[in-house]
Amino acid sequence: MPRLAPYACDPDRSAGRRHPEAEPQGRNHFQRDRDRIVHCHAFRLLEYKTQVFINHEGDLFRTRLTHSIEVAQIARTIARNLELHEDLIEAISLAHDLGHTPFGHAGQDELNACMNEFAPDAGGFEHNLQSLRVVDELEERYAEFNGLNLCFETREGILKHCSARHAARLGDVGRRFIERRQPSLEAQVANLADEIAYNNHDIDDGLRSGLITIEQLLEVGIFARHHDAVVRRYPRLERRRLVGEIIRSMINTLVIDLTDTTRARLAELKPASLDDVRAAPTLASFSPEVRREADELKRFLMRNLYRHSRVMRMTGKARRIVRELFVAFRDEPRLLSGEYQRDEPVQQARAIADYIAGMTDRYAISEHRNLFQM
Ligand code: MG
C-alpha cells in the first residue's frame, strides 16, 4: 500500500459499519467495501443503463458501468499523488451511480415528478439518495443484514449532496449537511473525478454520434487550446486519433490541475488529521481558470448535446415510459410481483420507485411493452 497522508482516511480508524462484523482477513475495510460493490447486483445493472445515449443506440457509447470505471481510474491516480486511500476512493467511485434510474437524468426527473405528484409525503426521488439506499437497504446478499453494510467513509462519499429535509432522517451520513462540514478528501476528489470523466467522455461520445462537431467545439476554450496543440504537433492526424489525443490531453491537464491546486491548498491550510479536513473549507478543487474553462465546456454540452433534438426525443420517450409504468403500478399494485406490494400507500409508492429505479433501459422498455401492448 502506498504511503498514507495524515489527512487521509485510515481503514483501521474507520467510523465503522452499521452492523458490527468480524475484521476482514487479508484485506482492509475499504478493500472489502470495494469488493462488495463489484459483486453486488446493482453494479452489474450499470452495464445496461444510459449515461447520455440509450444502451441500444450503439455499442461504443459509455454506459453507467464504463463511466464508473473511468471515474475510478481518474480518482485513483489523484489519490495516489495526494497520498489518499486508493481503495476507499475506488469504492466511492464505483458505487457513486448505483442509484441511477434507467434513461439517465430524464428517468430520475420523471420518477421524482411522479413521487411528488402521487405520494407527496414520500420525499421524492433522488439518484444520490437512492445510491445510498441501494448499499444500505436494497441489496439482498448477506445473511445478517440488508444492503452491503459498508463503512461510514464509503457511505459518506456516496452521499454527495443532500437537502436539509433528507439530511435529518439519514443519521450519521446526513449530519455533515446540517453542520455544514466537509466530507473526507477521498469523497471530495471522487466527486471532481466524476466531472472530469463525464465532461470528456461526453465530448467523445457526442463526436462519435455526430450530434456535435469538432468545428462547434472549437468555440470552447479548453477544447480549442488542446486541439491546436495536437494539430501543431501532428498536422496530418486522422480524425479518430485527433479526437483521442485531444481528450487524453484534456483529462491529463484536468487531473494535474486538480492535484496541484489541492496540494497547494493542503500546504496552505495544513490539515493534520481527517477531523481537520472535515472542519476546513473544501480542499479539493480546480484552479479558478480551469474551473471557468470546465464550466464553459459544461454549458456547451448542455446547449449542444444534452438538449440536442435527437437526445430530447429520446428523453421525451423515456419520461413517458417511466410515468406510465409508475401510474400503472400505482393504480393497480397487483400488477407488481409480491415482493413489491405494500399495504400502506407511501410505502407502496417507494417500492414502485425502487422497482423502476432498478430497471435497466431495455428492461423498462420491455416492461412497458408488456403492460401496454397485447
Ligand atoms: Mg457519475
Side-chain angles (χ1 to χ4, degrees), residues 51 64 67-68 71 93 96-97 100 127 160 194-195 198:
Q51 186 67 25
R64 291 250 167 237
H67 161 69
S68 301
V71 174
S93 302
H96 85 284
D97 273 352
H100 263 287
H127 70 88
K160 277 190 282 198
D194 184 22
E195 188 184 332
Y198 67 67

Side-chain angles (χ1 to χ4, degrees), residues 40 53 91 93 105 137 139 158-159 201 204 208 223 228 242 259 280 292-293 311 322-324 355 359 363-364 372-373:
C40 84
F53 298 91
S93 302
H105 282 276
E137 302 288 343
E139 284 287 325
I158 292 172
L159 190 65
H201 65 50
D204 192 29
R208 180 175 296 112
F223 185 91
D228 294 350
L242 172 65
T259 307
R292 263 195 307 279
E293 284 192 331
V311 175
V322 167
R323 171 162 291 258
E324 286 172 11
Y355 180 47
M359 294 178 182
Y363 185 81
F372 289 94
Q373 287 173 26

Side-chain angles (χ1 to χ4, degrees), residues 62-239:
R62 267 68 173 188
T63 66
R64 291 250 167 237
L65 180 65
T66 58
H67 161 69
S68 301
I69 294 170
E70 289 182 32
V71 174
Q73 177 275 310
I74 291 168
R76 272 196 89 117
T77 302
I78 301 166
R80 185 168 305 184
N81 289 332
L82 296 176
E83 298 177 345
L84 303 175
H85 205 288
E86 289 184 47
D87 299 323
L88 173 61
I89 210 164
E90 185 177 12
I92 294 170
S93 302
L94 293 177
H96 85 284
D97 273 352
L98 288 179
H100 263 287
T101 62
F103 314 125
H105 282 276
Q108 146 170 306
D109 293 348
E110 196 58 35
L111 194 49
N112 185 40
C114 289
M115 285 294 273
N116 288 329
E117 200 174 317
F118 299 111
D121 300 330
F125 179 88
E126 209 276 318
H127 70 88
N128 219 258
L129 289 169
Q130 190 71 7
S131 296
L132 189 67
R133 189 167 157 76
V134 166
V135 301
D136 279 356
E137 302 288 343
L138 298 181
E139 284 287 325
E140 296 174 323
R141 303 181 56 81
Y142 299 92
E144 297 186 6
F145 45 79
N146 283 339
L148 306 179
N149 199 31
L150 303 179
C151 293
F152 170 83
E153 294 77 9
T154 310
R155 298 170 57 238
E156 165 195 62
I158 292 172
L159 190 65
K160 277 190 282 198
H161 36 76
C162 170
S163 64
R165 176 169 72 122
H166 291 299
R169 67 172 177 80
L170 287 173
D172 55 359
V173 281
R175 206 166 299 134
R176 76 177 169 91
F177 296 97
I178 298 163
E179 296 170 356
R180 296 179 182 281
R181 284 158 62 85
Q182 301 303 320
S184 71
L185 258 167
E186 284 83 351
Q188 295 181 31
V189 169
N191 195 9
L192 293 170
D194 184 22
E195 188 184 332
I196 295 176
Y198 67 67
N199 277 336
N200 283 286
H201 65 50
D202 288 353
I203 292 178
D204 192 29
D205 285 353
L207 287 169
R208 180 175 296 112
S209 67
L211 298 189
I212 54 175
T213 62
I214 291 180
E215 292 64 39
Q216 274 178 304
L217 273 160
L218 289 175
E219 70 182 65
V220 181
I222 188 169
F223 185 91
R225 213 152 38 79
H226 287 89
H227 170 273
D228 294 350
V230 173
V231 169
R232 235 177 289 125
R233 183 151 181 214
Y234 306 106
R236 258 179 273 286
L237 210 52
E238 47 132 334
R239 192 190 130 97

Side-chain angles (χ1 to χ4, degrees), residues 110-111 114 117-118 320-333 335 352 356 371-372:
E110 196 58 35
L111 194 49
C114 289
E117 200 174 317
F118 299 111
R320 280 192 291 280
I321 287 177
V322 167
R323 171 162 291 258
E324 286 172 11
L325 287 174
F326 190 97
V327 171
F329 293 135
R330 189 204 61 132
D331 289 350
E332 183 45 274
L335 293 173
I352 294 170
I356 293 175
L371 283 176
F372 289 94

Side-chain angles (χ1 to χ4, degrees), residues 191-360:
N191 195 9
L192 293 170
D194 184 22
E195 188 184 332
I196 295 176
Y198 67 67
N199 277 336
N200 283 286
H201 65 50
D202 288 353
I203 292 178
D204 192 29
D205 285 353
L207 287 169
R208 180 175 296 112
S209 67
L211 298 189
I212 54 175
T213 62
I214 291 180
E215 292 64 39
Q216 274 178 304
L217 273 160
L218 289 175
E219 70 182 65
V220 181
I222 188 169
F223 185 91
R225 213 152 38 79
H226 287 89
H227 170 273
D228 294 350
V230 173
V231 169
R232 235 177 289 125
R233 183 151 181 214
Y234 306 106
R236 258 179 273 286
L237 210 52
E238 47 132 334
R239 192 190 130 97
R240 199 184 297 172
R241 288 180 205 267
L242 172 65
V243 173
E245 285 289 338
I246 297 168
I247 286 175
R248 84 180 184 114
S249 83
M250 286 204 300
I251 294 177
N252 202 36
T253 300
L254 290 163
V255 166
I256 290 170
D257 180 80
L258 174 54
T259 307
D260 290 350
T261 310
T262 305
R263 198 177 268 139
R265 288 173 71 78
L266 287 166
E268 183 191 334
L269 292 162
K270 298 187 181 53
S273 66
L274 180 55
D275 279 343
D276 288 353
V277 169
R278 296 185 186 288
T282 313
L283 287 160
S285 74
F286 296 111
S287 64
E289 313 83 77
V290 166
R291 179 71 267 166
R292 263 195 307 279
E293 284 192 331
D295 289 341
E296 185 197 10
L297 173 59
K298 277 181 161 183
R299 285 194 299 275
F300 173 90
L301 289 171
M302 181 56 78
R303 249 192 344 264
N304 297 289
L305 182 60
Y306 311 141
R307 296 209 181 123
H308 190 286
S309 60
R310 247 174 67 198
V311 175
M312 292 305 290
R313 283 180 187 213
M314 181 283 278
T315 302
K317 279 189 271 191
R319 293 185 84 120
R320 280 192 291 280
I321 287 177
V322 167
R323 171 162 291 258
E324 286 172 11
L325 287 174
F326 190 97
V327 171
F329 293 135
R330 189 204 61 132
D331 289 350
E332 183 45 274
R334 281 170 297 185
L335 293 173
L336 291 158
S337 76
E339 60 174 318
Y340 289 105
Q341 292 183 24
R342 302 286 185 278
D343 294 328
E344 192 277 321
V346 171
Q347 285 176 23
Q348 181 62 74
R350 180 59 60 198
I352 294 170
D354 287 339
Y355 180 47
I356 293 175
M359 294 178 182
T360 60

